Amino acid sequence: MTFFSVLFALFAEQYVPVGKDHWVMRMCRNWVKKVPNFCDTGEADAAKIAIAMLLIPPVFLVFAVHLWLIFNQPLFALFWNVTIVYFFMGFRQFSHHFTRIQELLNNRQIESARTELSAWVGPSLNTETLTESEVVRHTLERSILAVHSHVFGVFFWFLVPIGPAGVVMYRLTLMAQETWKFGNASPVLIEHINKWRYLIDWVPTRLTAIGFTIVGNFEKAVYAWRFHQQKWDNQSAAILIGTGGGALGVQLGEPLAQLGSLEAIQLAEEGVLPVQEYGMLPVPAHLASGASLVWRAVVLWMILLAMLSIAIWL
């Protein structure tokens, strides 16, 4: 049932994508925005209560329906699983930005590409002075993070025993993290939701990175995983973007600092190889390679899921 649920949800999402303004997404965003108003007092205990209040009611409701349908209406249980994965996966919620930027760069419309990237990323990135290579770099980085949070992370939490309830928990956590840092949440609540996100995303992050490593350039992906994490402050983002860029053979993130002469000599005397940049500078053609990498990773995990399902049936 799990394999077909994911497969049907993927097909449905490709043909009838769920946009950000869908009523389900609006309802989730409203719930996420209201929770801090109820119990966020700026204290650690209140932050834990707020996160519990955010997750427990919807997760319990989805899980209760899931259990009841499994024992009473198995066919409708499949429909329920497909529905939850379909609404909360959101593959197409970000892919239109990626596709639009790719088209604009291919047509040499760099100003329009900067505007589209700014509309996607938001105020956290100033795109006015970005070069073409930097636009491609930020687009690839944002896409790698988005495909993990919208697709591969959802896959993982759907495979755990709580099924669709895990999907709801994961996506609500990500929505809260993105919303509260720009809303009225206290710094303590933001800190706790970041810690909770890191906890539930620890395993999915590494599985996504393994997938990129397998379907892309293995040697460069592993090298970036080991040595390029210092480019990013967030460890999860560092693992994902590092392995994604290595798998593509593209330099992502800010360039590594150049070693001074004395430091280079000292490393040479110790027999230690300095950390190097691997891969090419990003160009528009790498956007198509990035899309191909994502789909190869999706196919890889679908094949593994199918093999697991067959093993369970046998």
Side-chain angles (χ1 to χ4, degrees):
M1 180 184 292
T2 301
F3 171 77
F4 289 108
S5 298
V6 174
L7 183 64
F8 293 156
L10 277 173
F11 278 125
E13 216 272 334
Q14 288 300 307
Y15 288 101
V16 187
V18 179
K20 293 183 179 180
D21 295 327
H22 192 277
W23 67 269
V24 174
M25 295 295 101
R26 292 200 308 269
M27 183 174 63
C28 291
R29 284 197 300 270
N30 290 335
W31 174 245
V32 167
K33 291 178 181 178
K34 288 180 179 178
V35 166
N37 298 329
F38 296 141
C39 49
D40 182 20
T41 63
E43 299 177 354
D45 291 340
K48 296 175 183 177
I49 293 174
I51 295 175
M53 185 176 178
L54 168 74
L55 299 176
I56 290 177
V59 169
F60 177 79
L61 175 62
V62 172
F63 186 58
V65 174
H66 174 65
L67 281 183
W68 188 88
L69 290 174
I70 284 179
F71 290 107
N72 294 277
Q73 299 289 339
L75 183 60
F76 284 97
L78 173 63
F79 178 77
W80 177 250
N81 289 347
V82 172
T83 301
I84 295 298
V85 176
Y86 167 71
F87 281 127
F88 285 89
M89 183 164 54
F91 204 120
R92 298 289 292 275
Q93 289 184 22
F94 67 91
S95 62
H96 66 282
H97 289 293
F98 180 90
T99 303
R100 180 61 178 161
I101 292 172
Q102 184 179 13
E103 293 174 350
L104 291 171
L105 290 178
N106 288 338
N107 294 326
R108 314 302 298 177
Q109 300 179 29
I110 181 65
E111 289 295 336
S112 298
R114 292 193 189 108
T115 302
E116 185 69 27
L117 178 61
S118 178
W120 183 13
V121 177
S124 60
L125 176 66
N126 182 10
T127 63
E128 294 179 358
T129 59
L130 295 181
T131 64
E132 181 182 71
S133 180
E134 290 173 333
V135 170
V136 175
R137 174 168 70 83
H138 285 289
T139 301
L140 285 172
E141 292 177 358
R142 181 75 176 185
S143 300
I144 290 171
L145 296 178
V147 78
H148 168 73
S149 61
H150 286 271
V151 182
F152 297 119
V154 172
F155 278 9
F156 174 83
W157 279 102
F158 183 62
L159 296 178
V160 301
I162 58 176
V167 172
V168 174
M169 180 200 68
Y170 181 75
R171 290 294 300 146
L172 281 179
T173 298
L174 269 60
M175 291 175 68
Q177 185 189 38
E178 295 170 358
T179 303
W180 289 351
K181 64 182 178 182
F182 297 116
N184 58 347
S186 67
V188 175
L189 179 55
I190 295 174
E191 179 185 358
H192 276 72
I193 195 65
N194 288 338
K195 289 180 179 178
W196 175 246
R197 160 72 187 276
Y198 177 80
L199 179 64
I200 67 172
D201 218 17
W202 196 93
V203 174
T205 293
R206 283 147 182 82
L207 290 178
T208 300
I210 290 171
F212 289 154
T213 303
I214 293 173
V215 301
N217 188 315
F218 182 87
E219 180 181 355
K220 291 182 180 179
V222 171
Y223 185 89
W225 191 340
R226 293 183 59 191
F227 299 112
H228 288 180
Q229 289 193 33
Q230 67 268 31
K231 287 186 176 184
W232 298 273
D233 296 332
N234 184 288
Q235 186 188 41
S236 297
I239 292 173
L240 291 169
I241 300 175
T243 54
L248 290 171
V250 179
Q251 297 180 24
L252 298 182
E254 295 294 335
L256 294 170
Q258 296 293 325
L259 294 177
S261 300
L262 294 178
E263 190 176 2
I265 293 173
Q266 183 180 358
L267 290 176
E269 292 176 347
E270 296 174 355
V272 178
L273 294 176
V275 177
Q276 301 176 348
E277 288 282 6
Y278 266 167
M280 302 170 55
L281 291 175
V283 297
H286 287 131
L287 294 176
S289 301
S292 177
L293 176 75
V294 169
W295 280 113
R296 292 199 304 271
V298 171
V299 171
L300 169 68
W301 292 117
M302 289 301 294
I303 291 174
L304 293 176
L305 179 57
M307 294 172 62
L308 178 63
S309 301
I310 293 173
I312 293 174
W313 292 339
L314 295 177

